C-alpha cells in the first residue's frame, strides 16, 4: 500500500459526476453517527476532509441538502443530481474544507482510516481498534486525526 500520484479521481454510481482530488486529504476516519448510518446505509461512513480548493468537479451536476446539526450549525450535503450518490459535505462553519465520502474514490487501497468518531453510537457488533485515534462523539479538534494521517502517509511513501 503506497500513496498514489495526485490528482486521483472518484465519482458517483451512475458515472455522471466525476471529480478529482489534486492533493492528499487531511485525514480519513470512520464516523459512526446515526446520520452517517442513514446516509451510507451501513454501520458507518468513511469521512475524508480535504482543502476545498483541492477538489474539482470534472463532469456532471450535484444537488445539495442542508442538514441542521444539534449544535445549530448547518452541514450542506452534496449528491449526484442523477443517481443521488452522497459525495461530500460542506460544513458551513468551515467553508475552506470539504468532507468527501472516501468510498466514492475509484481506488481505496491507500485510504485506510486512522480513527473513529461517534463511537458511542456505533452498532454494538462493531469492534473499534484501540490503537487508532478514537472519540466517543464529535472531536473537539480534528488535529489528532490529522496528525495520525500524516504519520500513516509518511509510513506509506
Ligand atoms: Zn450519479
Ligand atoms: Zn457521521
Amino acid at each position: 500500500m503506497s500513496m498514489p500520484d495526485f490528482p486521483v479521481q472518484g465519482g458517483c454510481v451512475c458515472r455522471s459526476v466525476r471529480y478529482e482530488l489534486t492533493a492528499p486529504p487531511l485525514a480519513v476516519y470512520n464516523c459512526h453517527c446515526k446520520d452517517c448510518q442513514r446516509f451510507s446505509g451501513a454501520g458507518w461512513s468513511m469521512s475524508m476532509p480535504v482543502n476545498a480548493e483541492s477538489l474539482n468537479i470534472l463532469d456532471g451536476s450535484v444537488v445539495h441538502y442542508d442538514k441542521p446539526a444539534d449544535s445549530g450549525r448547518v452541514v450542506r450535503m452534496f449528491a449526484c443530481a442523477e443517481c443521488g450518490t452522497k459525495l461530500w459535505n460542506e460544513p458551513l462553519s468551515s467553508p475552506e474544507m470539504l468532507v468527501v465520502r472516501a468510498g466514492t474514490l475509484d481506488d481505496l487501497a491507500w485510504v485506510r482510516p486512522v480513527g473513529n468518531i461517534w463511537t458511542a453510537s456505533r452498532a454494538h457488533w462493531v469492534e473499534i481498534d484501540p490503537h487508532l485515534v478514537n472519540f466517543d462523539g464529535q472531536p473537539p479538534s480534528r488535529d489528532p486525526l490529522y496528525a495520525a494521517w500524516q504519520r500513516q502517509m509518511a509510513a506509506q511513501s
Side-chain angles (χ1 to χ4, degrees):
M1 189 169 68
S2 65
M3 289 300 289
D5 292 328
F6 288 84
V8 297
Q9 292 193 10
C12 67
V13 169
C14 79
R15 311 276 199 278
S16 73
V17 174
R18 296 292 298 163
Y19 69 82
E20 70 173 3
L21 199 59
T22 59
L26 303 171
V28 178
Y29 53 87
N30 298 323
C31 181
H32 300 261
C33 82
K34 187 60 205 169
D35 281 341
C36 279
Q37 292 168 354
R38 291 190 176 106
F39 270 103
S40 66
W44 63 88
S45 67
M46 285 169 60
S47 292
M48 181 172 69
V50 304
N51 287 317
E53 62 192 14
S54 68
L55 185 119
N56 297 318
I57 299 178
L58 302 173
D59 204 3
S61 57
V62 295
V63 292
H64 68 260
Y65 164 68
D66 285 349
K67 181 177 89 75
D70 291 341
S71 62
R73 293 176 180 173
V74 171
V75 178
R76 182 160 286 180
M77 315 193 73
F78 289 87
C80 169
E82 297 295 325
C83 71
T85 300
K86 311 297 182 294
L87 293 163
W88 54 80
N89 311 329
E90 179 184 347
L92 295 186
S93 52
S94 25
E96 72 287 353
M97 189 184 80
L98 298 172
V99 182
V100 179
R101 295 187 168 255
T104 61
L105 287 166
D106 293 342
D107 176 16
L108 293 184
W110 56 277
V111 292
R112 182 177 182 162
V114 295
N116 295 274
I117 69 170
W118 289 100
T119 60
S121 55
R122 77 185 186 279
H124 71 86
W125 41 262
V126 172
E127 291 185 26
I128 301 293
D129 182 344
H131 299 104
L132 298 182
V133 178
N134 303 316
F135 295 91
D136 288 348
Q138 186 69 29
S141 156
R142 290 186 178 84
D143 289 349
L145 292 159
Y146 293 169
W149 177 255
Q150 287 294 332
R151 287 194 297 274
Q152 178 168 287
M153 279 204 300
Q156 283 180 215
S157 59

